[in-house]
Amino acid sequence: MNYLPESAAAAWQAYNAMETTKQRHITLLAGLENRYGSLAKAHLGETLLLDKLLHDHDLQVKCFTREMAALKEADASAHAALLAYMQEINGTLARYTSEETGPTQLA
């Protein structure tokens, strides 16, 4: 099934990379808060890794933003298709997440 135009591939990859780096950062952040009750009590190595993961995520956000802008300019219909697909994914997954059992909703 080809549900996204080929021209959307780079933006789709950037989106997936951005989601991955977001999840890594959130997972460590939540883990540290659960373990120590406060980030201030976390070990230096753990907080340094948290900073690196946030930096990684920031870079991926910039990459995604660039790719989406380029896609919109080059192929507006592919841009719209990708946005619709991301909305479908996020809308559907939102029905299966909660604060107690699912991924956090932090941005």
Side-chain angles (χ1 to χ4, degrees), residues 9-28:
W12 175 238
Q13 290 295 338
Y15 176 76
N16 285 317
M18 181 181 68
E19 286 292 304
T20 298
T21 57
K22 174 183 172 183
Q23 192 57 52
R24 286 177 186 154
H25 181 260
I26 289 172
T27 298
L28 183 57

Side-chain angles (χ1 to χ4, degrees):
M1 175 186 330
N2 193 9
Y3 47 88
L4 287 176
E6 185 64 31
S7 59
W12 175 238
Q13 290 295 338
Y15 176 76
N16 285 317
M18 181 181 68
E19 286 292 304
T20 298
T21 57
K22 174 183 172 183
Q23 192 57 52
R24 286 177 186 154
H25 181 260
I26 289 172
T27 298
L28 183 57
L29 177 63
L32 294 175
E33 289 178 346
N34 286 340
R35 175 175 285 170
Y36 301 112
S38 163
L39 283 179
K41 295 178 184 177
H43 294 39
L44 179 61
E46 294 168 323
T47 59
L48 289 175
L49 179 57
L50 187 66
D51 288 344
K52 290 176 188 175
L53 293 176
L54 181 57
H55 178 74
D56 291 346
H57 179 61
D58 289 345
L59 292 175
Q60 291 303 326
V61 168
K62 290 175 185 175
C63 180
F64 172 70
T65 302
R66 281 192 311 270
E67 290 295 338
M68 287 298 283
L71 179 60
K72 187 174 184 179
E73 185 174 321
D75 189 343
S77 64
H79 180 266
L82 180 53
L83 284 175
Y85 185 49
M86 290 186 302
Q87 289 171 339
E88 177 185 8
I89 291 169
N90 292 324
T92 301
L93 293 179
R95 294 192 303 258
Y96 297 99
T97 59
S98 72
E99 289 183 27
E100 293 86 29
T101 61
T104 181
Q105 299 300 315
L106 295 176

